[in-house]
Amino acid sequence: MSTGMRTDFETEAVRLVSAAAAARGWRVDVEPSTRFCCRVVTGSGVGFVVGTDLGLNDSASRRVAQDKAFAAHFLGVDGVPVVETRVLPSAAEVEVLSGWEWPVVVKPCRGHGGLGVGLARGVEEIEEAYTAASALDSVVVVQRYRSAAEVRVMVLDGEVLASFGKERAEGRIGANLSQGAAWTDVSERLHPEVAMLAVRATGCLGLRVSGVDILLNRWDGTEGAEVLEVNATPGLRALAMHRPEKLDRLIARALDRLC
């Protein structure tokens, strides 16, 4: 069974967890053909790490966070400011966008890494964007487009680990590292209210660890702050690059659950 697209850092994450577990004297079994998954066996139980999923979030909460329509609904119910998100049943049913201004962002509902994301500048571009998104997911969503600063806030057990300003690569809609975006550590400049917004969004979805993408007028302000997405994996590659001590803390917390 395929586990989806794999990256070099995901196998590196498994290696880091394996080393930390072995240092505790625990048994570690790494699946040898891909080295994408490992099992940690302790005197108290068994735990798995798959890529950058360290096993801290329960499966139901992780699935809700991955589903952009579900997540937007439950965040909105709790009064969290969130970028308006609607399901687009088909390319022909553009009436769901009544009252919206163009352009709009079209995405696979459960997509990741910026794959299948398109910008439709008018009704005539919806079909092409819908086709690209629906090739990756049977459910397609649309979101209001905002030309705004974007920040990824990483949360662990109700505390902010780090935050990164995200600069899109030229010609890209998303600001993912896998798409060539540049992430800058803005942890010391993030406004406390924006940090608390990320913590609140994480709690609303029942997650212990997350990477919350927030749009706002400027990285160090609060105006226009809206949650764009809540990711059940926070962005370990950025932590490894800029805040390795925070990554060590996250791995230790993941292993502590097995004690």
Side-chain angles (χ1 to χ4, degrees):
M1 179 181 295
S2 172
T3 55
M5 181 177 293
R6 297 166 179 168
T7 67
D8 290 341
F9 186 76
E10 286 176 307
T11 55
E12 174 65 6
V14 170
R15 186 193 68 78
L16 291 171
V17 172
S18 299
R24 296 189 181 200
W26 294 345
R27 172 183 159 191
V28 179
D29 301 318
V30 179
E31 191 282 319
S33 63
T34 63
R35 309 196 70 79
F36 184 76
C37 175
C38 74
R39 180 179 65 171
V40 178
V41 182
T42 75
S44 303
V46 174
F48 288 89
V49 171
V50 182
T52 55
D53 184 352
L54 304 184
L56 283 166
N57 293 321
D58 70 69
S59 60
S61 293
R62 188 172 64 249
R63 289 179 66 182
V64 169
Q66 185 182 17
D67 188 298
K68 296 171 180 58
F70 287 169
H73 169 76
F74 291 112
L75 291 170
V77 165
D78 281 0
V80 174
V82 60
V83 174
E84 190 170 359
T85 303
R86 296 180 184 176
V87 172
L88 183 62
S90 72
E93 297 178 76
V94 292
E95 63 271 11
V96 301
L97 303 178
S98 177
W100 282 26
E101 295 182 356
W102 301 94
V104 298
V105 180
V106 184
K107 298 180 175 182
C109 187
R110 294 171 289 262
H112 62 90
L115 299 175
V117 177
L119 190 69
R121 297 171 180 82
V123 175
E124 68 281 357
E125 295 185 2
I126 281 288
E127 184 172 357
E128 181 179 353
Y130 181 90
T131 299
S134 62
L136 298 176
D137 195 331
S138 60
V139 181
V140 173
V141 297
V142 286
Q143 293 180 319
R144 287 186 181 273
Y145 174 77
R146 281 186 57 190
S147 178
E150 183 175 342
V151 64
R152 165 70 61 89
V153 184
M154 301 178 183
V155 177
L156 173 63
D157 289 335
E159 298 180 4
V160 172
L161 280 175
S163 55
F164 298 90
K166 302 168 69 174
E167 289 281 358
R168 297 172 181 83
E170 186 175 355
R172 294 286 191 174
I173 300 169
N176 302 87
L177 286 173
S178 58
Q179 294 183 312
W183 288 23
T184 303
D185 190 342
V186 296
S187 301
E188 307 306 324
R189 291 189 285 156
L190 188 71
H191 195 284
E193 290 184 17
V194 178
M196 289 309 301
L197 174 60
V199 171
R200 184 181 173 198
T202 302
C204 285
L205 300 187
L207 299 170
R208 288 187 60 187
V209 62
S210 73
V212 184
D213 290 332
I214 297 175
L215 299 182
L216 59 169
N217 292 350
R218 47 185 288 179
W219 290 340
D220 55 355
T222 61
E223 292 183 1
E226 290 183 310
V227 173
L228 176 63
E229 292 183 5
V230 180
N231 301 277
T233 52
L236 304 189
R237 181 179 165 194
L239 283 180
M241 292 167 58
H242 300 284
R243 295 272 177 152
E245 75 284 0
K246 300 291 188 179
L247 178 58
D248 291 343
R249 177 182 168 191
L250 180 56
I251 290 173
R253 193 69 58 87
L255 293 177
D256 287 346
R257 69 188 169 90
L258 301 177
C259 294

